[in-house]
Amino acid sequence: MEPFTKLTATAAPIDIVNCDTDRIIPARFLRKAREPGFERWLFHDMRFDAQGNERPEFVLNQAPYRGAKVLVAAANYGCGSSREAAVYVMYDYGIRSVIAPSFGDIHYGNALQNGFLPIVLSDAECQRLREQLHAQPGAEITVDLPAQTVTGPDGSIYKFEIDPAAKERLVKGLDDIGLVLQHIERIEGFEQRYFAEQPWVSV
Amino acid sequence: MARTLFEKIWDRHVITRGAGGDTLLFVDRHYLHEGSFHAFTALAREGREVRSPKQSFAFDDHYVPTVDRHLGIPGVADAEARGLIENLARNTAKHGIRHFHMDDARQGIVHVAAPELGLTLPGLVINCGDSHTSTHGAFGALAFGIGASQVKQVLATQCLWQKQPKSMLIRIDGALPPGVTAKDVILAVIAKIGIGGAQGHVIEYAGAAVRALTMEARMTMCNMSIEAGARAGMIAPDDTTYQYLAGRPHAPVGEAWESALAYWRSLPSDRQARFDREVGLDASRLEPMVTWGTNPEEGVPVSGAVPDPANEPDASRRARMESSLRYMGLTPGMPISDIAVDRVFIGSCTNGRLEDLRAAAAIARGRKARVPTVVSPGSRLVKVAAEAEGLDKIFLEAGFEWRDAGCSMCVGINGDQVPSGERSASTSNRNFEGRQGKGARTHLMGPAMAAAAAITGRITDVRAL
Ligand code: SF4
């Protein structure tokens, strides 16, 4: 996993409340292997019309926001289906961080597994950032994970909270499996006791 | 100290606690489906083995066709879908994982088939790379959906790092009026607390109305916990649970059953146990529910009307309602029962069980469908049981299509789609934009309500039919 530390990049506003993972990547593309070109499915039905042409009104189709690496979204971003492809598709587009007032729980966890930083700021802060991004298309935002801060286009600094263990994994690019296998003796001991006490669990 | 059902199961599965309050949790059962391919690909890339293949079970469900199943895998017309089905077969064979493939008599949607096989039991931690894993909580298990990286992690280690979620009690007192089902209860819960209302929480459903529900109805409720944003939903096991499980193919027997039962009886939340949040609902005031918008919280009783955004004081809520109504092509204030539908879908992991099909058949009996209607049983065992009761004949005589088992039109990725711009009455769980097909307009409701819509071609209060 790529470590995540600090990033200064163009940010794009996504104003949709409850932007579910079906919108981030519609279900009919879940069958696609993750290979070059995968980013095409990102926000597909909002980004492209029935003929496959770009919809000019969609934010990522507008020149200043193209290639944004940060999104500032609205409440309950990534709710719904557990599809991790919703993270892959953002990542493959180049996005590395989403700032929102709240996230679907599974989506939040999936992001952390992929070197992708989900940031929770208040509703008012997110709204202010989105307004600034609309007012100054192409404006940059800085996300600093070690310092746990976001710097808006106007230089305002916002503090965010993140679980210390999740932060360490992201900053160091650590893999969860590696962290589990450090405890292999404990796991084996647990399993022996557990199945001895509850043999009915075994199929 | 007094503990909740959730806390008892959580504590029992803690292997160790890591830095920052993370818990390494033991996973009893891991369910897989064709969509799990990203995890297998990553596992192979990293050169890892499956640590406990006997604790994983795979089902073909999302991509299987619901017609021409006698042709087997070669009969899957869609080459990409066929590839995913073959891929799961290859991966499960390679790692020695039990696979209920599309030709198996026990195949079905993982959340329908695993419980009926007795794989899902009280007190277990169950994971699956699917958000509706919450279904299995109906048995008093802690069951939650995970993403592909965590599927890989469970395959490789049989454990998961997790932060302990908060707990929430939803107490539903009173008795359900006739014609009101578990689907209506859960849609009413979601309408009340919102689709982010239970974020970060594990819900326990309790109260007289929940106690009175059958296992199938409890599964319908727990299934849609994710639609309120919950990490999981659960219901304490009781005699209804044990009666359902006794004699199921993979349920424990003899002494093992007795010792399991003794443990299961210790699971219900202690009287003094505290929840982080509590919500109450009076069952006796509920009506059949129907969604009008593009997320599951946008639901109203069938006797109601499409809400008018003009009456919504909050600007952002108003904008959301307007956008939902635009997509759905509905006029504010119009009675729900004036909404004409183009097609009907009865099935899915929410409402594809025998009881659901019985409820739909009771409405279809002796009547004729006015719009194309597809019935897809949640599993092949459900299909066989329904046919033994003659439900297939009732449906066919009413002009409904009687299909094979799978996710079908719930998500449309096997090809069973609602065409763009068409309106469907559906017993599934998500009415998101494009969920049943690009441009599809979905109204969620219970199975009898969906059958009534098929008969009249409009959304109809089944109690008046
Ligand atoms: S029936 Fe629908 S919700 Fe259930 S597992 Fe299949 S696609 Fe998911």
Side-chain angles (χ1 to χ4, degrees):
Chain A
M1 197 169 91
E2 284 273 308
F4 189 111
T5 48
K6 189 173 170 181
L7 171 73
T8 298
T10 302
I14 299 286
D15 301 313
I16 304 159
V17 178
N18 302 322
C19 182
D20 56 74
T21 54
D22 271 86
R23 288 205 203 225
I24 301 174
I25 178 168
R28 62 188 189 281
F29 303 121
L30 295 181
R31 51 175 60 198
K32 302 290 182 191
R34 191 180 179 188
E35 46 192 31
F38 193 72
E39 70 278 2
R40 166 90 189 174
W41 320 123
L42 175 67
F43 295 126
H44 186 277
D45 293 350
M46 299 194 286
R47 225 167 116 207
F48 302 104
D49 66 17
Q51 283 69 47
N53 301 315
E54 286 190 355
R55 296 178 191 268
E57 71 278 13
F58 187 67
V59 65
L60 293 178
N61 292 334
Q62 295 164 11
Y65 300 105
R66 257 180 219 280
K69 288 193 184 323
V70 176
L71 299 180
V72 182
N76 207 18
Y77 185 81
C79 61
S81 153
S82 60
R83 61 191 66 170
E84 195 160 307
V87 179
Y88 304 157
V89 78
M90 290 193 288
Y91 195 97
D92 291 359
Y93 181 90
I95 297 163
R96 293 290 179 273
S97 178
V98 175
I99 303 168
S102 57
F103 290 87
D105 287 331
I106 304 179
H107 185 69
Y108 186 91
N110 287 344
L112 296 176
Q113 298 287 332
N114 286 277
F116 191 106
L117 178 61
I119 295 177
V120 177
L121 292 182
S122 75
D123 221 333
E125 289 167 338
C126 290
Q127 194 173 341
R128 185 163 156 219
L129 285 171
R130 290 199 307 274
E131 280 165 8
Q132 291 174 357
L133 295 173
H134 281 296
Q136 302 170 57
E140 293 191 330
I141 280 182
T142 296
V143 171
D144 186 336
L145 176 55
Q148 294 182 216
T149 57
V150 170
T151 308
D154 63 352
S156 304
I157 294 178
Y158 308 88
K159 199 78 185 130
F160 67 87
E161 294 301 321
I162 182 169
D163 170 62
K167 175 177 171 180
E168 190 190 345
R169 272 179 245 171
L170 275 175
V171 171
K172 296 188 177 159
L174 296 178
D175 169 14
D176 262 1
I177 295 186
L179 291 174
V180 174
L181 294 176
Q182 288 174 4
H183 298 282
I184 190 69
E185 282 176 17
R186 276 217 172 88
I187 298 170
E188 285 170 351
F190 176 95
E191 284 175 342
Q192 267 174 19
R193 275 194 314 278
Y194 184 82
F195 286 115
E197 287 165 17
Q198 297 189 175
W200 56 267
V201 174
S202 307
V203 179
Chain B
M1 212 181 86
R3 291 182 301 168
T4 64
L5 163 68
F6 157 63
E7 288 163 342
K8 290 178 191 183
I9 299 175
W10 180 273
D11 292 349
R12 185 74 186 94
H13 290 80
V14 174
I15 295 170
T16 184
R17 289 180 218 272
D22 261 15
T23 299
L24 189 60
L25 212 59
F26 181 68
V27 177
D28 296 288
R29 299 269 196 275
H30 183 211
Y31 301 144
L32 297 154
H33 55 88
E34 313 97 296
S36 310
F37 68 94
H38 286 296
F40 282 111
T41 306
L43 205 66
R45 193 174 53 229
E46 295 169 20
R48 298 187 193 275
E49 289 301 315
V50 175
R51 186 155 176 275
S52 310
K54 291 205 154 40
Q55 286 169 254
S56 284
F57 303 87
F59 297 83
D60 293 336
D61 55 9
H62 283 68
Y63 290 90
V64 295
T66 52
V67 291
D68 289 338
R69 283 277 281 278
H70 61 282
L71 300 175
I73 292 184
V76 181
D78 175 342
E80 279 181 335
R82 189 168 65 242
L84 293 180
I85 294 167
E86 287 168 345
N87 193 307
L88 182 62
R90 238 186 344 264
N91 280 318
T92 50
K94 172 176 163 193
H95 295 288
I97 292 170
R98 190 119 32 126
H99 179 197
F100 300 93
H101 56 82
M102 62 177 274
D103 295 330
D104 195 293
R106 298 158 295 176
Q107 175 269 346
I109 305 169
V110 50
H111 311 309
V112 176
E116 73 190 0
L117 293 173
L119 289 168
T120 296
L121 300 173
L124 301 185
V125 168
I126 300 174
N127 289 122
C128 173
D130 188 279
S131 58
H132 292 100
T133 307
S134 58
T135 312
H136 307 271
F139 290 80
L142 175 60
F144 54 94
I146 54 180
S149 295
Q150 292 190 316
V151 169
K152 179 185 76 176
Q153 208 187 119
V154 175
L155 286 170
T157 70
Q158 207 57 38
C159 328
L160 263 187
W161 285 112
Q162 286 290 303
K163 218 116 267 108
Q164 184 163 351
K166 298 196 182 94
S167 62
M168 178 169 181
L169 178 71
I170 298 187
R171 175 178 291 286
I172 303 157
D173 290 313
L176 288 176
V180 179
T181 68
K183 180 66 163 283
D184 305 310
V185 179
I186 191 66
L187 284 173
V189 166
I190 298 163
K192 182 177 167 113
I193 69 174
I195 70 166
Q199 234 169 39
H201 290 74
V202 168
I203 299 173
E204 179 175 341
Y205 302 100
V210 175
R211 283 293 128 224
L213 295 177
T214 63
M215 282 318 295
E216 302 202 347
R218 292 180 188 184
M219 284 189 259
T220 300
M221 279 204 67
C222 288
N223 174 273
M224 289 190 72
S225 303
I226 179 71
E227 261 57 70
R231 202 69 190 86
M234 43 203 319
I235 293 174
D238 59 12
D239 287 342
T240 304
T241 321
Y242 312 139
Q243 271 161 25
Y244 177 97
L245 285 172
R248 299 260 158 195
H250 293 287
V253 288
E255 243 174 75
W257 171 265
E258 292 307 325
S259 79
L261 200 59
Y263 175 63
W264 295 342
R265 291 196 196 280
S266 75
L267 288 173
S269 295
D270 300 327
R271 244 171 224 293
Q272 309 296 327
R274 291 169 57 120
F275 291 82
D276 296 303
R277 262 180 81 192
E278 296 194 15
V279 173
L281 212 69
D282 179 357
S284 64
R285 304 173 80 99
L286 296 178
E287 280 187 52
M289 294 286 291
V290 177
T291 62
W292 53 267
T294 58
N295 74 53
E297 80 177 36
E298 294 179 328
V300 288
V302 62
S303 62
V306 175
D308 189 345
N311 300 332
E312 172 58 55
D314 179 80
S316 93
R317 277 192 77 90
R318 188 161 62 239
R320 258 185 288 161
M321 288 169 75
E322 283 164 354
S323 136
S324 288
L325 291 177
R326 216 173 307 124
Y327 181 84
M328 293 299 289
L330 294 173
T331 318
M334 83 188 271
I336 292 292
S337 55
D338 279 358
I339 300 174
V341 301
D342 301 300
R343 57 183 66 235
V344 174
F345 172 63
I346 298 170
S348 88
C349 61
T350 311
N351 281 131
R353 300 185 179 81
L354 186 58
E355 243 173 60
D356 301 317
L357 302 188
R358 282 182 186 147
I363 300 302
R365 183 191 294 274
R367 297 188 169 108
K368 287 276 182 233
R370 288 213 185 175
V371 293
T373 298
V374 165
V375 186
S376 174
S379 74
R380 293 187 124 187
L381 291 177
V382 169
K383 182 167 187 276
V384 167
E387 288 170 356
E389 296 182 10
L391 302 187
D392 57 328
K393 293 214 176 52
I394 296 175
F395 289 132
L396 290 168
E397 276 163 22
F400 293 18
E401 281 186 69
W402 177 243
R403 299 276 188 94
D404 217 314
C407 294
S408 186
M409 212 176 277
C410 169
V411 66
I413 54 183
N414 73 334
D416 297 347
Q417 292 196 347
V418 175
S420 188
E422 283 199 10
R423 188 181 297 289
S424 85
S426 178
T427 66
S428 52
N429 43 51
R430 287 191 174 135
N431 51 344
F432 296 155
E433 289 189 14
R435 169 74 180 187
Q436 293 190 287
K438 194 174 170 182
R441 295 162 164 168
T442 303
H443 295 275
L444 302 175
M445 61 193 74
M449 284 285 292
I455 300 302
T456 62
R458 295 182 287 107
I459 296 178
T460 300
D461 189 342
V462 65
R463 296 169 303 177
L465 202 68

